[in-house]
Amino acid sequence: MQGGTYHDLRKRGVEQIASLEFDGIAIGGIAVGESKEEMLDTMRFTTPLLPTDKPRYLMGVGTPVDLLDAVEVGVDMFDCVMPTRNARNGSLFTSQGKVAIKNAKYIDDQGPLDPNCSCLTCRTVSRAYLRHLYTNDEIAAHVYNTIHNVSFYLDLMRGIRQSIASHSFAAFRAAFLDRQPTTDNP
Ligand SMILES: [Zn+2]
């Protein structure tokens, strides 16, 4: 659902919602079932139309790259199941890309999950141990993985806020994307 009519309706929606006395404004209905292209199109069209004196909140998004793309057009706030759900599925976000912790290559890997993360998981257990916990369906795998993924997202958002404050968001985004090529196959 693209094109003039769709954008006209989104614009009308923005105008009506923005005229009301809400504390913040959510952009929704674009991240559950819609394609990535539709999500990006709507986000890029809608966000710049919103008032800038209220928080702009994108519902249900997304990957670390989605967050960077959304911040670029003016989104302030997010919530998403991705860090915790992916953690429970053994899909871990790191500064060097995604890690599928079940992969056999981690069986003897005594290094930390993410050498650039200071969360409890990365400070105290190895990739090999995380893989052992995950492949044996240990609840501790969910706990350790969730602590790390949530820490990774919080660190990412903290870095984004700092880069905006120092007028270096574009460089921060480019550096983040440069560090992401070594993603495991799912
Ligand atoms: Zn960590």
Side-chain angles (χ1 to χ4, degrees):
M1 192 166 51
Q2 303 290 321
T5 304
Y6 177 66
H7 284 169
D8 290 345
L9 289 171
R10 278 279 171 186
K11 188 163 182 288
R12 247 174 70 194
V14 167
E15 287 165 357
Q16 290 180 0
I17 293 294
S19 72
L20 302 173
E21 293 292 315
F22 289 122
D23 294 328
I25 294 177
I27 307 160
I30 60 169
V32 184
E34 290 75 16
S35 69
K36 178 78 84 179
E37 288 70 31
E38 287 173 310
M39 189 272 280
L40 290 172
D41 173 72
T42 302
M43 180 185 83
R44 288 179 177 138
F45 177 78
T46 303
T47 311
L49 301 175
L50 295 173
T52 55
D53 59 343
K54 294 177 178 180
R56 291 154 289 182
Y57 157 47
L58 184 58
M59 302 174 77
V61 176
T63 66
V65 175
D66 290 338
L67 267 53
L68 289 164
D69 287 344
V71 167
E72 192 173 37
V73 294
V75 173
D76 301 300
M77 297 164 60
F78 304 90
D79 81 311
C80 189
V81 298
M82 188 165 280
T84 50
R85 186 175 60 198
N86 281 29
R88 295 192 298 276
N89 293 327
S91 175
L92 307 175
F93 298 97
T94 80
S95 58
Q96 281 117 27
K98 249 158 107 181
V99 164
I101 200 65
K102 70 178 179 194
N103 283 357
K105 66 180 174 181
Y106 301 122
I107 198 162
D108 289 320
D109 188 339
Q110 298 304 318
L113 170 60
D114 184 346
N116 296 314
C117 177
S118 59
C119 83
L120 180 137
T121 301
C122 293
R123 279 186 286 115
T124 56
V125 296
S126 65
R127 287 180 166 184
Y129 187 58
L130 289 173
R131 181 181 183 278
H132 160 79
L133 292 174
Y134 182 77
T135 55
N136 287 281
D137 289 331
E138 292 284 356
I139 292 292
H142 293 186
V143 177
Y144 279 125
N145 291 350
T146 300
I147 288 171
H148 169 75
N149 269 4
V150 171
S151 298
F152 181 84
Y153 268 65
L154 293 175
D155 285 346
L156 173 62
M157 292 309 297
R158 191 176 300 113
I160 288 173
R161 286 195 298 276
Q162 288 168 350
S163 73
I164 291 170
S166 60
H167 306 288
S168 58
F169 174 73
F172 178 89
R173 181 175 184 277
F176 183 90
L177 295 177
D178 272 354
R179 289 194 304 268
Q180 292 287 305
T182 55
T183 297
D184 280 350
N185 294 322

